[in-house]
Amino acid sequence: MDNDKVIQVEGLTKMFGDFTAVDAITFDVKKGEIFGFLGANGAGKTTAMKMLIGISIPTAGTANVAGFDVFKQAEDIKKNIGYMSQKFALYDDLTVKENITFFGGIYGLSRNVIKEKSDVLITELGLQKVANQLVASLPLGWKQKLSFSVALIHDPKIVFLDEPTGGVDPITRRQFWEMIYKAANEGTTVFVTTHYMDEAEYCDRVSIMVNGKIEALDTPKKLKKQFNAATMNDVFLKLARG
Amino acid sequence: MKRFIGFVKKEFYHIFRDRRSLFILFGMPIAQILLFGFAITNEINNVDIAVLDHSKDATTKEIIYKISASKYFSIKQMITHEADIASVFEKGQVKAVLNFENDFSKNLINDHKATIQIVTDATDPNTANTISNYVNAILQQYQLELNKGTTTPYQIVSQTRMVYNPELKSVYMFVPGVMTIILMLVSAMMTSISITKEKELGTMEILLVSPINPFQVIIGKVVPYIFLSVINAIVIVLLSIFIFHMPVQGSLFLLGLESVLFIVSALALGILISTISKTQQTAMMISLMGLMLPVILLSGFIFPISSMPVPLQIISNIIPAKWFIIIIKGIMLKGVGIQYIWKETLILLGMTVFFIALSVKKYKIRLE
Ligand SMILES: Nc1ncnc2c1ncn2[C@@H]1O[C@H](COP(=O)(O)OP(=O)(O)OP(=O)(O)O)[C@@H](O)[C@H]1O
Ligand SMILES: [Mg+2]
């Protein structure tokens, strides 16, 4: 295995009955990279991601994540990754601190480490005033940032973000991307899906998925050149129109 | 272990911060005891009774014939000694014993008055009441026939005697039923809802992506409910003892063990329900329709099983609550030990194992 590649996928396929949601996709992700996983609604992004994080068994193909096989070593994969789902999924009826403590706990962090991380995290996110408030009372943008930090609490090698900025205002989106950059700079590989084409520009490399297949994969710069387009949005439109 | 404690703690936060679950947990037991404390009259049908005939003369034979000819009773046994009365009740074979005094005909002819004793099983006071009313009606009828054209009327006097619970407080009989319902509600419905809630909110997915074992997730979710169910059972028993002065005859330890067995079976059902429902709404509906209704209607809690149509009687056998109610009525009201309820216990145990196996299997499938 190439040590530089933390995700290696070949011919990965998922079928729901007769319907092929993910159709033989093949790609690699390098260590420390921000990999944008683009596609329209229903393209199969979430389905593909679920196979990579070990909660959905592929119909065919192979995939290796953080050095482990998705078929045989899903449990090892789970220890090495963080995941932020498309749906906001912290506990609304727990406070900010309680959420951090709980998720730190299930990743097996010790009480001291949790306490330390929790303080740092709350300060970084500027949540000191609301640390003991129920998460339900926070605005969506704050929730998303908190959710991201929680996904990183155990210092995973790879973090999977499924539309982390969906429905969030542009300013918060910017801040969110700053957090992503920071994580990547610290060596975490970021695998992120998004609908926003401007965000695609921030990625090191992007793949574009159409109807379950990866139709294009390269750096944003090269893709724009390849499709003779000014922005990633144009690239996307050209691909989508066929 | 530390992970596990964190899990349980989080579950308690959920429970204590949700008004609905607080109400179900703490408001329900009291409300139900009060609600069901009021007597509800029941119809009876083909109730098994025994007869102790000290006279064996023409009159008693005729009365026995009339009773067995009615659709309300079927005479299951003729017994010969006073002492047998207690044993037929203990075995649960009959709901009542008719006890004719010595020289019934002679007394009737000589004194124009004879006495019959209706002994009923007071663990089920509603049925007991109804039975003695029906027997009395038949006796009255017979007396009318007897007195046609006579100047000095013959009088058949009936005395009703309750065994096990001579004071007859109807709330006693509801306590086992209420306890069953509450345990079912807390264990099965609340767990199925709380697991489904995590599915619905998407947090279940996050838990499954974490290194925590999926079975640990489920155990972590059910442990608080076991704990709360046990507390509830204790509260109900205490309420019954201190407010309704219910005498708990049997071993509290056995009562506790049997309750835990029932709680576990209900939890397994709750997990099962959560594997087949996508939303909390569905989980709640399935729990109510699939569990609570049968518990209320078919377990013998309100309607005596013996007076149900045969198909329903057969169906009632697959309801764990039916067996649990028999068990705890036995322990609480009759004071019986395991030797009298081992069969029911074994059935309940078998059902529990089956439900656990099924829910484990279903749960695995769900994880694909
Ligand atoms: N469990 C399932 N059973 C059947 N079909 C499914 C299942 N999960 C997803 N699909 C279908 O697979 C396709 C891909 O879905 P997926 O959620 O992966 O898309 P997506 O790219 O993440 O879309 P979005 O941008 O809306 O999140 C959709 O047509 C969806 O309806
Ligand atoms: Mg998606």
Side-chain angles (χ1 to χ4, degrees):
Chain A
M1 201 195 96
D2 192 335
N3 274 334
D4 206 30
K5 293 177 178 161
V6 288
I7 302 178
Q8 285 180 299
V9 174
E10 224 178 292
L12 198 67
T13 302
K14 179 82 189 187
M15 300 189 66
F16 295 112
D18 289 339
F19 175 71
T20 310
V22 174
D23 194 355
I25 57 173
T26 298
F27 65 92
D28 308 311
V29 178
K30 289 193 213 90
K31 188 169 185 303
E33 190 171 38
I34 300 176
F35 189 86
F37 202 61
L38 274 54
N41 276 323
K45 306 179 295 289
T46 300
T47 309
M49 192 180 270
K50 283 186 181 172
M51 290 190 278
L52 297 180
I53 60 179
I55 53 171
S56 168
I57 297 171
T59 312
T62 60
N64 193 293
V65 176
F68 301 103
D69 184 83
V70 290
F71 285 97
K72 293 183 210 122
Q73 298 165 302
E75 295 316 307
D76 296 300
I77 292 179
K78 289 176 184 177
K79 285 181 202 134
N80 288 289
I81 59 163
Y83 170 58
M84 183 178 160
S85 83
Q86 188 166 355
K87 221 172 178 180
F88 171 73
L90 294 181
Y91 293 100
D92 263 341
D93 54 348
L94 263 52
T95 66
V96 172
K97 264 195 182 149
E98 284 162 357
N99 266 293
I100 298 172
T101 310
F102 173 71
F103 285 103
I106 65 171
Y107 278 95
L109 303 186
S110 76
R111 197 173 302 161
N112 288 338
V113 174
I114 293 176
K115 173 126 197 13
E116 224 169 86
K117 290 236 170 196
S118 159
D119 289 344
V120 172
L121 200 154
I122 287 171
T123 316
E124 272 180 5
L125 294 178
L127 296 175
Q128 295 94 326
K129 280 203 186 115
V130 293
N132 290 315
Q133 272 180 32
L134 298 189
V135 164
S137 66
L138 303 185
L140 182 66
W142 292 20
K143 286 184 181 182
Q144 295 294 80
K145 285 193 274 183
L146 177 63
S147 192
F148 176 64
S149 306
V150 167
L152 287 174
I153 194 150
H154 55 296
D155 298 318
K157 290 194 181 126
I158 312 167
V159 63
F160 289 86
L161 310 172
D162 198 358
E163 290 188 34
T165 53
V168 169
D169 65 276
I171 295 165
T172 315
R173 269 170 59 201
R174 264 229 76 90
Q175 294 169 342
F176 202 97
W177 273 91
E178 277 161 21
M179 290 171 69
I180 293 181
Y181 273 124
K182 186 164 167 284
N185 280 336
E186 286 164 9
T188 312
T189 307
V190 180
F191 186 98
V192 54
T193 76
T194 178
H195 267 156
Y196 301 107
M197 285 310 138
D198 57 329
E199 292 185 352
E201 315 267 1
Y202 307 147
C203 300
D204 294 324
R205 281 192 310 147
V206 298
S207 75
I208 299 177
M209 219 175 162
V210 181
N211 295 330
K213 291 194 180 71
I214 291 185
E215 296 290 355
L217 196 171
D218 217 324
T219 61
K221 206 169 163 188
K222 283 191 186 149
L223 280 177
K224 280 183 275 190
K225 205 163 146 200
Q226 182 189 336
F227 287 86
N228 194 19
T231 63
M232 279 305 294
N233 200 27
D234 293 340
V235 172
F236 192 75
L237 288 177
K238 280 188 179 173
L239 260 174
R241 288 199 193 105
Chain B
M1 197 57 206
K2 201 173 73 238
R3 264 184 214 179
F4 188 71
I5 291 170
F7 223 99
V8 171
K9 205 158 131 196
K10 161 214 148 225
E11 204 57 38
F12 275 119
Y13 287 143
H14 291 324
I15 295 167
F16 288 117
R17 284 176 192 171
D18 179 30
R19 268 203 210 119
R20 189 183 58 181
S21 45
L22 274 183
F23 172 72
I24 293 179
L25 278 172
F26 301 107
M28 277 307 210
I30 296 159
Q32 290 230 8
I33 292 243
L34 295 179
L35 191 69
F36 289 109
F38 297 107
I40 296 169
T41 47
N42 306 309
E43 284 290 306
I44 59 166
N45 189 8
N46 246 331
V47 172
D48 288 331
I49 58 171
V51 172
L52 173 55
D53 188 353
H54 290 295
S55 312
K56 297 216 173 65
D57 55 36
T59 318
T60 61
K61 285 216 177 97
E62 202 165 342
I63 294 176
I64 292 170
Y65 171 75
K66 288 225 183 296
I67 288 189
S68 69
S70 85
K71 68 178 168 82
Y72 308 117
F73 301 105
S74 81
I75 296 178
K76 184 108 186 265
Q77 239 178 332
M78 301 295 288
I79 55 180
T80 45
H81 301 288
E82 293 279 338
D84 294 339
I85 296 178
S87 82
V88 289
F89 278 127
E90 212 134 291
K91 290 187 194 127
Q93 289 162 333
V94 299
K95 289 267 175 210
V97 176
L98 301 184
N99 187 355
F100 293 91
E101 66 176 351
N102 275 322
D103 303 323
F104 196 89
S105 284
K106 218 193 270 169
N107 293 345
L108 201 58
I109 292 163
N110 297 344
D111 309 342
H112 280 246
K113 187 178 159 201
T115 309
I116 173 173
Q117 194 180 44
I118 307 165
V119 188
T120 48
D121 181 355
T123 42
D124 195 349
N126 290 303
T127 315
N129 253 334
T130 323
I131 289 174
S132 73
N133 290 339
Y134 281 55
V135 172
N136 275 321
I138 295 172
L139 292 174
Q140 293 273 301
Q141 185 74 33
Y142 179 73
Q143 208 174 294
L144 273 180
E145 284 169 28
L146 213 58
N147 290 337
K148 246 180 229 153
T150 51
T151 41
T152 4
Y154 296 105
Q155 205 188 348
I156 298 172
V157 181
S158 74
Q159 302 171 336
T160 305
R161 181 161 71 97
M162 300 267 176
V163 289
Y164 298 122
N165 176 8
E167 272 184 82
L168 179 60
K169 289 207 177 156
S170 54
V171 72
Y172 295 173
M173 111 152 256
F174 287 103
V175 167
V178 168
M179 194 155 134
T180 309
I181 292 208
I182 296 293
L183 294 186
M184 201 71 180
L185 201 68
V186 173
S187 309
M189 186 160 114
M190 303 263 293
T191 21
S192 71
I193 291 178
S194 94
I195 296 175
T196 324
K197 186 174 176 189
E198 299 236 10
K199 279 208 274 183
E200 207 177 325
L201 295 180
T203 46
M204 186 55 96
E205 197 175 86
I206 305 291
L207 297 178
L208 294 178
V209 177
S210 83
I212 197 164
N213 179 308
F215 288 102
Q216 243 172 313
V217 172
I218 293 300
I219 307 239
K221 285 206 77 78
V222 303
V223 161
Y225 291 99
I226 296 187
F227 181 73
L228 292 170
S229 300
V230 169
I231 301 243
N232 255 315
I234 294 172
V235 167
I236 293 170
V237 172
L238 289 182
L239 268 183
S240 328
I241 294 176
F242 290 108
I243 296 190
F244 297 109
H245 308 289
M246 181 173 101
V248 173
Q249 315 266 10
S251 141
L252 283 176
F253 180 70
L254 184 62
L255 185 65
L257 283 186
E258 298 277 2
S259 303
V260 170
L261 178 62
F262 181 67
I263 290 169
V264 173
S265 81
L267 287 174
L269 281 173
I271 298 171
L272 208 56
I273 290 173
S274 74
T275 60
I276 53 175
S277 25
K278 282 215 166 69
T279 64
Q280 297 177 67
Q281 205 83 37
T282 325
M284 186 151 106
M285 286 319 286
I286 298 180
S287 304
L288 285 175
M289 305 307 260
L291 297 179
M292 298 314 288
L293 271 190
V295 167
I296 294 172
L297 300 178
L298 298 178
S299 67
F301 166 34
I302 292 177
F303 306 106
I305 290 176
S306 54
S307 49
M308 287 176 194
V310 176
L312 288 186
Q313 290 195 23
I314 294 170
I315 293 175
S316 77
N317 288 325
I318 58 166
I319 296 173
K322 171 190 164 170
W323 304 104
F324 182 62
I325 288 184
I326 296 178
I327 292 171
I328 58 173
K329 268 191 182 175
I331 301 176
M332 288 177 151
L333 303 176
K334 298 187 190 173
V336 300
I338 187 78
Q339 63 273 25
Y340 285 97
I341 47 172
W342 64 270
K343 252 190 252 162
E344 286 80 6
T345 307
L346 220 56
I347 292 172
L348 194 58
L349 187 68
M351 285 180 165
T352 309
V353 171
F354 175 74
F355 292 140
I356 291 177
L358 199 64
S359 58
V360 165
K361 194 166 161 235
K362 276 263 178 195
Y363 187 59
K364 269 192 184 144
I365 292 171
R366 220 195 67 73
L367 298 175
E368 20 166 10

Coordinates of all heavy atoms in Angstrom, one line a residue, chain A residues 14-17 19-22 37-50 86 162-163 193-195 209 212, chain B residues 368, ligand 1:
Chain A
K14 N -22.5 0.5 -4.8 CA -23.6 0.2 -3.8 C -24.9 0.1 -4.6 O -25.3 1.0 -5.3 CB -23.7 1.2 -2.7 CG -24.8 0.9 -1.7 CD -24.4 -0.1 -0.7 CE -25.5 -0.5 0.2 NZ -25.1 -1.4 1.3
M15 N -25.6 -1.0 -4.4 CA -26.9 -1.1 -5.1 C -28.0 -1.2 -4.0 O -27.8 -1.9 -3.0 CB -26.9 -2.4 -6.0 CG -25.9 -2.3 -7.0 SD -26.0 -3.6 -8.3 CE -27.5 -3.2 -9.0
F16 N -29.1 -0.6 -4.3 CA -30.3 -0.8 -3.4 C -31.3 -1.5 -4.3 O -31.9 -0.9 -5.1 CB -30.9 0.6 -2.9 CG -29.9 1.3 -2.0 CD1 -29.3 2.5 -2.4 CD2 -29.6 0.8 -0.7 CE1 -28.5 3.2 -1.6 CE2 -28.8 1.5 0.1 CZ -28.2 2.7 -0.3
G17 N -31.4 -2.8 -4.2 CA -32.3 -3.5 -5.1 C -31.6 -3.4 -6.5 O -30.5 -3.8 -6.7
F19 N -31.4 -0.6 -8.1 CA -30.9 0.7 -8.3 C -29.5 0.9 -7.9 O -29.1 0.5 -6.8 CB -31.8 1.7 -7.5 CG -31.3 3.1 -7.5 CD1 -31.4 3.9 -8.7 CD2 -30.8 3.7 -6.4 CE1 -31.0 5.2 -8.7 CE2 -30.4 5.0 -6.4 CZ -30.5 5.8 -7.6
T20 N -28.6 1.4 -8.8 CA -27.2 1.5 -8.5 C -27.0 2.9 -8.0 O -27.0 3.9 -8.7 CB -26.4 1.3 -9.7 OG1 -26.8 0.0 -10.3 CG2 -24.9 1.2 -9.3
A21 N -26.8 3.1 -6.7 CA -26.7 4.4 -6.1 C -25.2 4.9 -6.3 O -25.0 6.1 -6.5 CB -27.0 4.4 -4.6
V22 N -24.3 4.0 -6.1 CA -22.9 4.3 -6.4 C -22.3 3.3 -7.4 O -22.5 2.1 -7.2 CB -22.0 4.3 -5.1 CG1 -20.6 4.5 -5.4 CG2 -22.5 5.3 -4.1
F37 N -15.8 16.3 -2.5 CA -16.6 15.2 -3.1 C -17.9 15.8 -3.6 O -18.9 16.0 -2.8 CB -16.8 14.1 -2.1 CG -17.2 12.8 -2.6 CD1 -16.2 12.1 -3.4 CD2 -18.3 12.1 -2.3 CE1 -16.5 10.8 -3.9 CE2 -18.6 10.8 -2.8 CZ -17.7 10.2 -3.6
L38 N -18.0 16.2 -4.8 CA -19.1 17.0 -5.3 C -20.1 16.2 -6.1 O -19.8 15.1 -6.6 CB -18.6 18.1 -6.2 CG -18.1 19.4 -5.6 CD1 -17.1 19.2 -4.5 CD2 -17.6 20.4 -6.7
G39 N -21.3 16.7 -6.1 CA -22.4 16.0 -6.9 C -23.7 16.6 -6.6 O -23.9 17.2 -5.5
A40 N -24.6 16.5 -7.5 CA -26.0 17.1 -7.3 C -26.7 16.3 -6.3 O -26.2 15.2 -5.8 CB -26.7 17.1 -8.7
N41 N -27.9 16.7 -6.0 CA -28.8 15.9 -5.1 C -29.0 14.5 -5.6 O -29.3 14.3 -6.7 CB -30.2 16.6 -5.0 CG -30.2 17.7 -4.0 OD1 -29.5 17.6 -2.9 ND2 -30.9 18.8 -4.3
G42 N -28.8 13.6 -4.7 CA -29.0 12.2 -5.1 C -28.0 11.6 -6.0 O -28.1 10.5 -6.5
A43 N -26.8 12.2 -6.1 CA -25.7 11.7 -7.0 C -25.1 10.5 -6.3 O -24.6 9.6 -7.0 CB -24.7 12.8 -7.2
G44 N -25.2 10.4 -5.0 CA -24.7 9.2 -4.4 C -23.5 9.5 -3.4 O -22.8 8.6 -2.9
K45 N -23.4 10.8 -3.0 CA -22.3 11.2 -2.2 C -22.4 10.6 -0.8 O -21.4 9.9 -0.3 CB -22.2 12.7 -2.0 CG -22.2 13.4 -3.3 CD -22.2 15.0 -3.1 CE -23.5 15.5 -2.5 NZ -24.6 15.5 -3.4
T46 N -23.5 10.7 -0.2 CA -23.7 10.2 1.2 C -23.6 8.7 1.2 O -22.9 8.1 2.1 CB -25.1 10.6 1.7 OG1 -25.2 12.0 1.7 CG2 -25.3 10.1 3.1
T47 N -24.1 8.0 0.2 CA -24.0 6.6 0.1 C -22.6 6.1 0.0 O -22.2 5.2 0.7 CB -24.8 6.1 -1.1 OG1 -26.1 6.6 -1.1 CG2 -24.9 4.5 -1.1
A48 N -21.8 6.8 -0.8 CA -20.4 6.4 -0.9 C -19.7 6.7 0.4 O -18.9 5.8 0.9 CB -19.7 7.3 -2.0
M49 N -20.0 7.8 1.0 CA -19.3 8.1 2.3 C -19.6 7.1 3.4 O -18.7 6.6 4.1 CB -19.7 9.5 2.8 CG -18.8 10.0 3.9 SD -19.4 11.7 4.4 CE -18.4 12.7 3.4
K50 N -20.8 6.6 3.4 CA -21.2 5.6 4.4 C -20.5 4.3 4.3 O -20.2 3.6 5.2 CB -22.7 5.4 4.4 CG -23.5 6.5 5.1 CD -25.0 6.2 5.1 CE -25.7 7.4 5.8 NZ -27.1 7.2 5.7
Q86 N -24.7 14.6 7.4 CA -25.4 15.6 6.7 C -26.5 16.3 7.6 O -26.8 17.5 7.5 CB -26.1 15.0 5.5 CG -26.7 15.9 4.5 CD -27.0 15.2 3.2 OE1 -26.7 14.0 3.0 NE2 -27.6 15.9 2.3
D162 N -20.1 15.5 5.7 CA -21.2 15.4 4.7 C -22.0 16.7 4.7 O -22.8 17.0 5.6 CB -22.0 14.2 5.0 CG -22.9 13.8 3.8 OD1 -22.7 14.5 2.7 OD2 -23.6 12.8 3.9
E163 N -21.7 17.5 3.7 CA -22.4 18.8 3.6 C -22.4 19.6 4.9 O -23.5 20.0 5.4 CB -23.8 18.7 3.0 CG -23.8 18.2 1.6 CD -25.1 18.2 0.9 OE1 -26.0 19.1 1.3 OE2 -25.4 17.4 0.1
T193 N -18.1 16.7 1.4 CA -19.0 16.8 0.3 C -19.7 18.2 0.4 O -19.8 18.8 1.5 CB -20.2 15.8 0.3 OG1 -21.1 16.2 1.3 CG2 -19.7 14.4 0.6
T194 N -20.0 18.8 -0.8 CA -20.7 20.1 -0.7 C -21.6 20.3 -1.9 O -21.4 19.7 -3.0 CB -19.7 21.2 -0.6 OG1 -20.4 22.5 -0.6 CG2 -18.7 21.2 -1.7
H195 N -22.5 21.2 -1.8 CA -23.3 21.6 -2.9 C -22.8 23.0 -3.4 O -23.1 23.3 -4.6 CB -24.8 21.9 -2.4 CG -25.6 20.7 -2.5 ND1 -26.7 20.6 -1.7 CD2 -25.6 19.7 -3.3 CE1 -27.3 19.4 -2.0 NE2 -26.6 18.9 -3.0
M209 N -19.4 13.9 -9.0 CA -20.2 12.7 -9.2 C -21.5 13.0 -9.9 O -22.2 14.0 -9.5 CB -20.5 12.1 -7.8 CG -20.4 10.6 -7.7 SD -20.7 10.2 -6.0 CE -21.1 8.5 -6.2
G212 N -24.2 8.6 -9.6 CA -23.5 7.4 -9.0 C -22.1 7.2 -9.6 O -21.3 6.4 -9.1
Chain B
E368 N -26.9 -4.0 8.6 CA -26.5 -4.6 7.3 C -25.0 -5.1 7.3 O -24.2 -4.5 6.8 CB -26.8 -3.8 6.1 CG -27.0 -2.3 6.4 CD -26.9 -1.4 5.1 OE1 -26.9 -1.9 4.0 OE2 -26.8 -0.2 5.3
Ligands
LIG1 N1 -31.2 3.0 1.9 C1 -31.5 3.3 0.7 N2 -32.4 2.5 0.0 C2 -32.7 2.9 -1.3 N3 -32.3 3.9 -1.9 C3 -31.4 4.7 -1.3 C4 -31.0 4.5 0.0 N4 -30.1 5.4 0.4 C5 -30.0 6.2 -0.7 N5 -30.7 5.8 -1.7 C6 -30.8 6.5 -3.0 O1 -29.5 6.5 -3.5 C7 -29.4 7.8 -4.3 C8 -28.2 8.5 -3.7 O2 -28.5 9.0 -2.5 P1 -27.4 9.8 -1.6 O3 -28.1 10.1 -0.3 O4 -26.1 9.0 -1.6 O5 -27.2 11.1 -2.5 P2 -26.4 12.4 -2.1 O6 -25.5 12.6 -3.3 O7 -25.8 12.3 -0.8 O8 -27.6 13.5 -2.2 P3 -27.8 14.8 -1.3 O9 -27.0 15.9 -2.0 O10 -29.3 15.0 -1.5 O11 -27.4 14.5 0.0 C9 -30.7 8.5 -4.1 O12 -31.4 8.4 -5.3 C10 -31.3 7.9 -2.9 O13 -32.7 7.9 -3.1

